[in-house]
């Protein structure tokens, strides 16, 4: 009886694999030249380096003209930190998609965005260090690196 059940189970598995293969479930090509639909859609939605650079630079300028983070207390600058992180992430996506330049060109920018990510990963604004204290906080990682990235982008224009 055991051999009979094993045979039915094996037969059912073979049938399922055969039906899946015949139905084309493993194909990921779309009708537009063989590109997967998700990749084509992502490429169409990725803004240009020029657009994301301008958006990031505008976010840093807004941060500065709004007064930055004047309050030293923890938790008072989180919204501004996030407002700078979002366009930095968009810039990284655009840089990754930019075919005219390679990763070597963007390596310093990537490092600055990674430092910003490290600061944001804390999940909250830790505040400013007390005067005279040389310890850094996540504000330095996010805000300082954002300003360094803005300077780098100015020095390395992509057009």
């Amino acid at each position: 009886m055991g051999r009979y059940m094993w045979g039915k189970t094996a037969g059912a598995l073979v049938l399922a694999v055969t039906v899946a293969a015949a139905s084309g479930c493993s194909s990921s090509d779309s009708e537009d030249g063989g590109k997967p639909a998700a990749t084509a859609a992502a490429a169409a939605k990725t803004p240009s380096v020029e657009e994301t650079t301008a958006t990031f630079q505008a976010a840093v300028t807004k941060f500065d003209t709004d007064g930055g983070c004047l309050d030293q207390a923890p938790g008072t600058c989180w919204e501004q930190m996030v407002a700078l992180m979002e366009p930095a992430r968009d810039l990284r996506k655009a840089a990754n998609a930019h075919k005219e330049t390679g990763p070597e060109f963007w390596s310093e920018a990537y490092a600055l965005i990674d430092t910003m990510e490290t600061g944001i990963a804390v999940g909250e604004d830790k505040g400013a260090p007390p005067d005279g204290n040389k310890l850094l906080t996540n504000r330095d990682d996010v805000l300082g690196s954002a300003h360094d990235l803005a300077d780098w982008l100015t020095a390395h224009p992509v057009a």
Side-chain angles (χ1 to χ4, degrees):
M1 186 86 119
R3 287 185 220 186
Y4 175 71
M5 287 300 286
W6 182 86
K8 282 180 74 173
T9 303
L13 287 173
V14 169
L15 178 63
V17 169
T18 304
V19 169
S23 70
C25 289
S26 64
S27 176
S28 63
D29 292 347
S30 65
E31 295 177 12
D32 64 345
K35 275 191 171 182
T39 304
K45 291 182 182 180
T46 302
S48 71
V49 170
E50 294 83 1
E51 292 170 325
T52 55
T53 296
T55 301
F56 179 78
Q57 296 282 36
V60 172
T61 300
K62 180 177 180 355
F63 174 82
D64 291 342
T65 57
D66 287 351
C69 286
L70 300 176
D71 194 342
Q72 303 288 318
T76 57
C77 196
W78 183 246
E79 289 178 17
Q80 293 95 325
M81 293 166 72
V82 171
L84 292 173
M85 190 72 244
E86 290 172 1
R89 288 175 177 147
D90 292 341
L91 176 63
R92 179 178 20 223
K93 288 177 193 172
N96 286 338
H98 195 251
K99 301 298 181 201
E100 289 79 22
T101 55
E104 294 83 25
F105 176 81
W106 294 103
S107 62
E108 191 173 341
Y110 289 151
L112 291 166
I113 295 170
D114 288 347
T115 301
M116 292 175 69
E117 289 284 8
T118 299
I120 282 289
V122 172
E124 64 181 333
D125 169 25
K126 292 291 189 179
D131 289 336
N133 190 343
K134 299 296 181 195
L135 296 176
L136 300 178
T137 70
N138 64 332
R139 280 190 188 181
D140 298 316
D141 287 342
V142 177
L143 304 176
S145 294
H147 283 87
D148 291 344
L149 180 57
D151 293 342
W152 185 89
L153 291 167
T154 300
H156 299 85
V158 176

